[in-house]
Every structure is written in C-alpha cells, then in structure tokens.
Amino acid sequence: MLGERIMALLSLKNLDGRMQEVVRGASTAFLIKILAAGVGFASNIVLARCLGAEGAGHYFLVLTVVTVAAVFGRMGLNNTILRFASANVSQGNWESVKGVYAKGIGFAVGASGLTGILMFVSAPVVAERLFNNPELTGLLRWMSLAAIPLAISALYAQLLRAVDNIRDAMMVLSAWVPLFFTVGTVALAPSFGPRGAVWAYILATVLTTLIAMWVWRRETPCLRGIKGHFETGELLASSIPLFFASCWQLIMQWCSNCFLGVWSTSADVGIFAVANRTASLTTLILVAVNSISAPKFAALYSRGDLSGLGRLARGSAKMMTIMSVPIIIPLVFAPGLVMGLFGPQFAGGGTSLALLALGQFVNVATGSVTAVLMMCGYERVANNIMAFSALCCVVANLALIPFWGVLGAAAATAITLIAQNLLGVVMVWRLLGIMTIPGLFSKRAQR
C-alpha cells in the first residue's frame, strides 16, 4: 500500500499502529496537497511571467483584501461546522447535520455578502488612502465578487470532511481554485493584465463552490426532505472564539503584504508574495498530516493516554521533518535560482525566500503543537499564542519594513513563525508533559 511505501522510505516501519494509520490516512491528503502545491507553484510562475513584479503586486494586494473579507464572512464557522457535523454524522442524527449545514452556510452567505459589499463601496478609500494607488480601485471592486464563494467553499470542504470524504474536501480546499486560476490566468492575463488575473480568480472560486455544492448533495441524499434543526446559540457560541483565532491567523498571514503595500512598492509586494507562497510549500506536509492526526490527538487525550499521544505527536513531527527536507534544501541553498524561475524581476528576492523557508522548516519540525493544544481542550491557550504571535508580527513588520522592505517583511514573518511554534512547544510541555520535537522525550515518558 502507498502508506507502507512511505513508511519504508522514511524508516518509520517500527512505529505503533496509530502512527501507521496516520501515514496511510495522510497519503490521500498528501498526494492532493502535492498536486495543489504543484499547480499553485505553476500558477505563481504564470502570474509572475504574465504580469511582472508590479502587476503581481497589484493582484496580491487585492487578494489580501478579499481574503480578509472572506475570513470575516466565515465568522469562525470552519471548525465549528466540522465539529458539530462530524459528531452528528457519527450518531446518525441527520436532522442536526442539516441544521448545522443550513445555518452555517446561511450565516456565511449573509456575512460574506455584507463584507463583499463593504469591500466594493470602500474600494476607492482603500486604494487611495491605504495603498496610495488609485489603480487598485477597479481591481478591488471586481475582486469583491469573490467574497461569497471564497467564504462558503471552505465551509463545504469542512462538511465533506465530516462525512469522511477527505479526497473531495482536500480538492475543494486546496486544488480546484489554483487549477482553474492557472487556466484562467493563461487565457486572460496576457490580454487584460491584473484585471484578467482577478477575473480568473473570481471564476475559479465560483466553479470550486459549484463543485463543492454538487459533491455535498451527492454525498448526502438522506438530507433531502428532512427539516433540519440545530440551536443557533450553540453554533455561534462555538464559532465566535474561533473567529478571533482566525483573525490572529489572518494577521500573521497577510499583514506583511499590507504593510509593504503601504510603505513600499507594488513590485515589492509581488516579490514578497511569490517568495512567501514558495516557502509555504513545506506546509502542505503539515496540513496533510494534521487532517488525520488531529482527531486522534483528541481521542487519545479523552482516554487519558498521554504516553500514546506523545509518541504520536513526536512520530508525526519526525515524519514531517524528514519529508520537508527535500523541499527546504533548494529554497535555502539555491533561493536565487528558485526565484529566478518567476522572472528576472524576482531574482533579487532569494535571501527573503531563504529566511521564509527557514521559518517554515521550524513550523514543520516542531510538530502539530497548535493541533495538540486545541484537541486537548486548551483552545484558549492556543488562541492566546496566536494573539501574541499576531502582535509580534505587526511589531516586527513595523520595525523592519520601513528600513529593509521585502527583506524586512521576510524576517518579520520568519521571526513570528519561529516564536509562535517554540512558544507552542513550551506550552504543550508545561500543560501536558509532552515534547513534540523528535529526539526529545516527554516528562511522562521518563517516569
């Protein structure tokens, strides 16, 4: 089997059954993430080659704004929908499943519609006052059309995970948008520039949402004719704290783009965004493994098996570290060559790429610390870590970008990633007595 081949390749055959199950289960998710990463990398090359650094910068700035709109539109419902839908699917309570689905999607459509309208109306102010670039006004107004499909496609992906359709969930979450976007960019960007790329992204999100809706309907014929019911208060009570966690994550992911847009040029935004997306190739491993291991962390903790939880956490981290090395090596030791693939204007971002890749390597090598904390009931601790990291990211960007531009943004992002994950390691150690870094032992393992 594919999982056994991967285990043999990574010399993990002697791990316990849980770890073997994670490897096998992660295989599908990992292969889809590999596909998505390849397509995404290709789309970045196409975008950079078609638009150049400045045009790519314009595109990534408006993408940042619509991503903010979509996060507010989802209202933190991602994990809430997964949690309640999964629990009720396992119990065969399809009335509650439909209630979760209908209310979750309904709230997201309404909220993302409002944020999309706000984005459209405020486009001149954002373009001229914030980014000092009136050319962005039209792009922002077009991109506001992607707010609703971008918000609800992610929720459909979580619903598909709840019914154990990992393949289609990962395709919706990671693969379809970059695939459609690449095709659309090749067709539209050479003639229409950044506006063509924005049109391609809108079409990609709409098509992905339609596919997600069709797959969900195909997977749940039992919902037809059922009147759904689920308490609105319970749904929102769970989603609101997670909404704030999403906001912290949003700040860490996109604030460097925004600050570069304010204090530097669109070309610098384009160079940084391409470098950051390239360095983030390593996170596909983390996402694939977490999609399988996170529920197992929760199950082991509920049984009080902290020893087994520690072995699984360290085993996952070891596997992810080994798998990330082939990706990290060229990004760190030949970053100029990698960035040169996007065009001569991007070759100067090599040092920034190396810094970002080192930060992402620490992110992978420290293991699934955030997932461990959240699955073991320490959501507040995980939220506090993300809030602190978001603050660090803002402060570091404010301190470094005015002096070093793209390099300062890369350094700020890497520092934030390293600080966030090392703090997570410390808190998992203090609260659970578990060391997630491979090669180190937990306190309970030593007893």
Side-chain angles (χ1 to χ4, degrees):
M1 293 177 63
L2 179 59
E4 293 171 346
R5 292 177 185 173
I6 295 174
M7 291 168 60
L9 177 64
L10 301 178
S11 301
L12 294 174
K13 285 183 176 179
N14 295 325
L15 289 175
D16 62 24
R18 296 188 194 95
M19 190 62 224
Q20 293 182 27
E21 188 177 349
V22 168
V23 174
R24 293 191 190 97
S27 297
T28 299
F30 180 67
L31 288 175
I32 293 174
K33 290 296 289 184
I34 287 285
L35 170 65
V39 173
F41 188 70
S43 72
N44 287 335
I45 292 177
V46 169
L47 185 73
R49 292 280 183 178
C50 289
L51 302 183
E54 184 175 5
H58 288 169
Y59 168 77
F60 283 118
L61 281 174
V62 297
L63 178 64
T64 300
V65 177
V66 80
T67 302
V68 172
V71 168
F72 277 85
R74 283 194 290 268
M75 300 171 54
L77 287 163
N78 307 48
N79 288 320
T80 297
I81 279 182
L82 175 61
R83 173 189 169 190
F84 289 125
S86 297
N88 286 288
V89 166
S90 66
Q91 298 168 13
N93 186 353
W94 293 104
E95 287 186 0
S96 292
V97 172
K98 187 164 185 179
V100 170
Y101 154 65
K103 289 188 176 180
I105 296 295
F107 286 141
V109 169
S112 58
L114 288 174
T115 57
I117 292 171
L118 180 62
M119 180 177 169
F120 182 91
V121 172
S122 64
V125 176
V126 173
E128 297 174 21
R129 301 285 180 86
L130 181 61
F131 296 127
N132 195 29
N133 191 342
E135 293 180 41
L136 295 178
T137 299
L139 297 178
L140 285 165
R141 283 180 165 166
W142 275 111
M143 189 62 101
S144 67
L145 298 176
I148 291 177
L150 184 60
I152 66 173
S153 61
L155 300 188
Y156 272 106
Q158 300 292 52
L159 288 165
L160 292 172
R161 284 181 65 189
V163 294
D164 210 24
N165 187 342
I166 301 298
R167 183 195 64 190
D168 286 314
M170 295 300 291
M171 289 294 294
V172 169
L173 202 58
S174 305
W176 287 124
V177 169
L179 181 60
F180 292 136
F181 173 72
T182 302
V183 175
T185 300
V186 170
L188 298 172
S191 300
F192 300 99
R195 182 167 295 186
V198 170
W199 290 344
Y201 188 78
I202 295 168
L203 290 172
T205 56
V206 170
L207 290 172
T208 298
T209 301
L210 291 175
I211 290 172
M213 294 169 68
W214 175 76
V215 174
W216 171 249
R217 182 174 174 81
R218 184 196 68 192
E219 291 289 316
T220 56
C222 52
L223 295 185
R224 296 167 200 169
I226 293 179
K227 186 176 180 180
H229 176 75
F230 197 83
E231 289 296 329
T232 301
E234 188 176 3
L235 195 69
L236 295 179
S238 175
S239 71
I240 289 173
L242 294 173
F243 167 72
F244 289 107
S246 298
C247 289
W248 309 139
Q249 194 66 38
L250 181 74
I251 291 171
M252 288 185 284
Q253 186 176 359
W254 294 101
C255 77
S256 296
N257 282 18
C258 289
F259 287 138
L260 277 173
V262 173
W263 285 313
S264 193
T265 65
S266 294
D268 282 348
V269 175
I271 292 169
F272 172 78
V274 166
N276 196 26
R277 286 182 162 224
T278 303
S280 297
L281 289 172
T282 56
T283 60
L284 65 94
I285 300 166
L286 186 63
V287 172
V289 172
N290 278 351
S291 67
I292 305 300
S293 61
K296 299 186 186 305
F297 292 149
L300 290 167
Y301 182 76
S302 68
R303 295 201 298 265
D305 187 1
L306 293 181
S307 178
L309 196 158
R311 287 195 301 273
L312 178 60
R314 286 189 298 278
S316 299
K318 179 180 179 181
M319 179 178 69
M320 292 188 294
T321 301
I322 295 172
M323 294 175 73
S324 69
V325 168
I327 302 175
I328 288 292
I329 288 175
L331 303 185
V332 173
F333 294 103
L337 183 64
V338 174
M339 288 296 289
L341 295 173
F342 300 94
Q345 293 177 300
F346 294 86
T351 304
S352 298
L353 174 61
L355 283 174
L356 291 164
L358 288 172
Q360 292 292 353
F361 181 72
V362 173
N363 184 27
V364 172
T366 50
S368 308
V369 287
T370 301
V372 170
L373 288 170
M374 295 189 76
M375 293 300 106
C376 295
Y378 294 103
E379 297 95 334
R380 187 180 297 274
V381 174
N383 186 61
N384 289 342
I385 290 173
M386 285 189 280
F388 174 76
S389 301
L391 177 62
C392 287
C393 189
V394 171
V395 171
N397 275 290
L398 288 172
L400 298 177
I401 287 179
F403 299 100
W404 291 307
V406 176
L407 188 61
T413 302
I415 289 168
T416 301
L417 272 173
I418 293 169
Q420 177 188 5
N421 284 279
L422 291 181
L423 185 56
V425 168
V426 170
M427 294 310 298
V428 170
W429 170 265
R430 288 188 60 187
L431 296 171
L432 299 169
I434 291 171
M435 175 55 63
T436 60
I437 299 176
L440 300 179
F441 298 97
S442 68
K443 290 185 282 189
R444 289 183 173 82
Q446 293 174 331
R447 291 178 182 175

